Amino acid sequence: MNGITEGQERPVPKVDWPRADYSRVPFWLYHDPAIYEAEQERIFKGPAWSYVGLEAEIPNPGDFRTTMIGATPVIFNRAMDGSVHCVVNRCGHRGAQVRREPRGNAKEHICIYHRWCFAPDGTLTGLPFRRGVKGKGGMGPDFDMADHGLRKLRVASRNGVVFATFSDAAETLEEYLGPVFLQHIDRIFAKPVRVLGYQRQRIFGNWKLYPENQRDTYHGSLLHEFQSTFGISRATQQGGVTMDARHRHNLTWARSATDDEAEFQALYKADNVHDSSLRLEDPGMLRFHDEWGDGISIAICGLFPTTTIHQISNSLAMRQIRTFGPGEFEILWTLFGYADDTEAMTQHRLDQSNMVGPAGLISMEDGEAIEITHRAIQGEPAACAVIEMGGAGPIHDLNHRVTDMPVRGFWSYYAELMGFEPPGAVR
Amino acid sequence: MSDLVGRVTNLLAEYAASIDENRLEDWVELFAEAGSYRVVPRENHDQGLPVPLILCRNKKMIRDRIKALRNANEYNLHHDLHIIGAPRVVVISPTECSVRASYVVYQTTLEGQSRLFSVGRYEDRVQVTDDRLRFLEKLVVVDSFSVPTLLATPL
Ligand SMILES: [Fe+2]
């Protein structure tokens, strides 16, 4: 038994789903503190796998990074024998945060409070005054060091992308991801990567609005006008949404230069969307190099619950969500290229980093869209979000992007893990 | 030298005012034709990692940023307020000096609610001619790199 018992779970509020296909989602689910608490236990510490980092970020023995899974602080690190571990960053003694630095290299993690000392795999290796001082004090005779380590998570890596889960009952990572998403990770991580840096964004809204945003593929060309205005991604291009068998993950993809300029202009003009006649003076960042040879220029891969792998033209990044209560979360973007990139290719990726992140020309709007939603849905227990673009009913893949169907997929697995699926729930 | 410090202080004051008064087209003209504008998270800067928040390697890209902001981007409706600390000016040549200054930016909603939005420092190279000063290079190192909400208007 671990010395610090995990919190006794309070009862999860009941949800009265208006429809079994999740085409209506009650607004209170985004604000309720009891729901948020239950999510930490059932989603983030439940049978889901969460991305914690790239092996390329901890190449050497002793390298560590601190991060979070939901609201739980964790250390992601490499032991002296080269193995990768993820442990809860909370002292097995009084619960203090053990590792305070965001990154570094160390053989052990020592809590500053009472100097308890832990190995990279979480094992408690020593504590001062265990046998007392001059025969006085010390831990009781039945104190067993083996019971008081840092909580160890299950860890699995796919081509250097490291995931962790709190659950012993969770499927293997391979089963959890399924063939489509394993293949996608293998596509993006076919070669060793080099981390180019980080971007962070603090959004004052509920965390679920972000995986929803990633799965609502039709907002892209409407909200992010830069994309359609300057021709990066348009709903008229060849593309679609592909999910796993359980519909919890989603890959939104599009091919470059597969639509007709006149058709695009006519559609956006007819629907009174916006002016698309603008041109950049320096269009270099719009250029797409087909590095993968499959023509896919947009691939937004959203893995349940909160991991995103993005390829936007030649910009590559992992995105990870940390939660800070029902009304606040942070997105950590880890931008990378390949270890064998030329200097020109690195420059191109950096130019394209203008398009992503908190100041991204095609992503800044998401921060605002999420905050205005979160603000306006407060205090509306009876009202619901409407999710039926691309059709209600069964959830399935589509060969177009004029849809938000994968959002319903997210909710269906979410409701299953939370234990409040409606009768006859669509899965 | 004291005359140069005065001129740099004026340049920074005009820099702040052009953003805070939403005269972003005037802001663009504070850059030299060879000018660049980079906003970099401090965590990247300190580790020697190149990823920026905003990267305008030339004046065309600076103009494009503002063009996109005016025509394509949606962002939180707000007023900016810049407070720029006293500049440290070092003369590099008769036509160039380096400038370092700390900054604070508050954002205020249209409902009158203010929040601290960003703190950090400027590391600039400034072109000095008889008639005016302009930025050859403006590097904004952002201490508040966990950007609240989003970053649209320049820092
Ligand atoms: Fe978006």
Side-chain angles (χ1 to χ4, degrees), chain A residues 14 17-18 103 274 290 335 407 411:
Chain A
K14 291 207 172 4
W17 294 96
R103 71 196 73 83
H274 44 72
D290 185 5
L335 288 83
V407 179
W411 282 105

Side-chain angles (χ1 to χ4, degrees), chain A residues 54-67:
Chain A
L54 299 175
E55 287 199 46
E57 294 176 283
I58 51 165
N60 303 309
D63 283 351
F64 69 84
R65 297 187 66 82
T66 55
T67 181

Side-chain angles (χ1 to χ4, degrees), chain A residues 103 196 198-202 225 278-279 281-282 330 347 351 353-354 358-359 361 364-365 371, chain B residues 43-44 47 50-52 55 57-58 63-65 67 71-74 76 145-147 149-151:
Chain A
R103 71 196 73 83
L196 299 175
Y198 303 88
Q199 296 179 333
R200 301 184 194 218
Q201 185 171 14
R202 216 23 107 115
E225 292 178 52
L278 290 172
R279 293 293 170 263
E281 283 185 53
D282 188 337
E330 185 188 61
Q347 189 57 62
D351 285 349
S353 66
N354 275 304
L361 292 165
M364 69 168 80
E365 288 85 5
E371 291 193 5
Chain B
E43 67 176 337
N44 293 348
Q47 293 178 84
V51 163
L55 174 60
R57 291 190 289 114
N58 56 55
R63 269 197 293 270
D64 284 340
R65 241 309 146 171
K67 191 200 269 187
N71 298 289
N73 293 124
E74 304 285 353
N76 54 325
F145 53 78
S146 185
V147 178
T149 308
L150 60 90
L151 171 62

Side-chain angles (χ1 to χ4, degrees), chain A residues 318-390:
Chain A
M318 300 298 303
R319 301 181 202 164
Q320 182 189 3
I321 299 290
R322 294 108 176 260
T323 66
F324 299 89
E328 187 176 342
F329 67 91
E330 185 188 61
I331 312 167
L332 174 67
W333 316 58
T334 304
L335 288 83
F336 58 89
Y338 296 113
D340 67 357
D341 280 349
T342 61
E343 228 170 278
M345 193 56 179
T346 299
Q347 189 57 62
H348 183 57
R349 293 196 210 279
L350 294 174
D351 285 349
Q352 289 199 331
S353 66
N354 275 304
M355 298 196 288
V356 306
L361 292 165
I362 58 171
S363 67
M364 69 168 80
E365 288 85 5
D366 290 328
E368 175 68 352
I370 287 170
E371 291 193 5
I372 58 177
T373 304
H374 191 77
R375 269 204 300 275
I377 64 178
Q378 191 156 20
E380 275 294 345
C384 287
V386 175
I387 307 170
E388 58 178 276
M389 191 56 132

Side-chain angles (χ1 to χ4, degrees), chain B residues 15-95:
Chain B
Y15 180 92
S18 63
I19 299 170
D20 297 350
E21 293 165 12
N22 194 18
R23 294 183 284 108
L24 299 179
E25 291 71 16
D26 294 346
W27 174 81
V28 172
E29 292 314 313
L30 298 175
F31 289 84
E33 283 314 304
S36 66
Y37 175 66
R38 282 189 298 150
V39 180
V40 178
R42 183 172 181 161
E43 67 176 337
N44 293 348
H45 188 74
D46 288 354
Q47 293 178 84
L49 294 171
V51 163
L53 288 162
I54 297 176
L55 174 60
C56 299
R57 291 190 289 114
N58 56 55
K59 198 166 176 181
K60 285 179 183 172
M61 293 173 83
I62 299 174
R63 269 197 293 270
D64 284 340
R65 241 309 146 171
I66 300 308
K67 191 200 269 187
L69 221 51
R70 293 295 197 213
N71 298 289
N73 293 124
E74 304 285 353
Y75 51 93
N76 54 325
L77 307 173
H78 73 274
H79 300 294
D80 287 309
L81 182 87
H82 282 69
I83 296 170
I84 300 176
R88 278 186 288 164
V89 181
V90 176
V91 175
I92 297 173
S93 78
T95 58

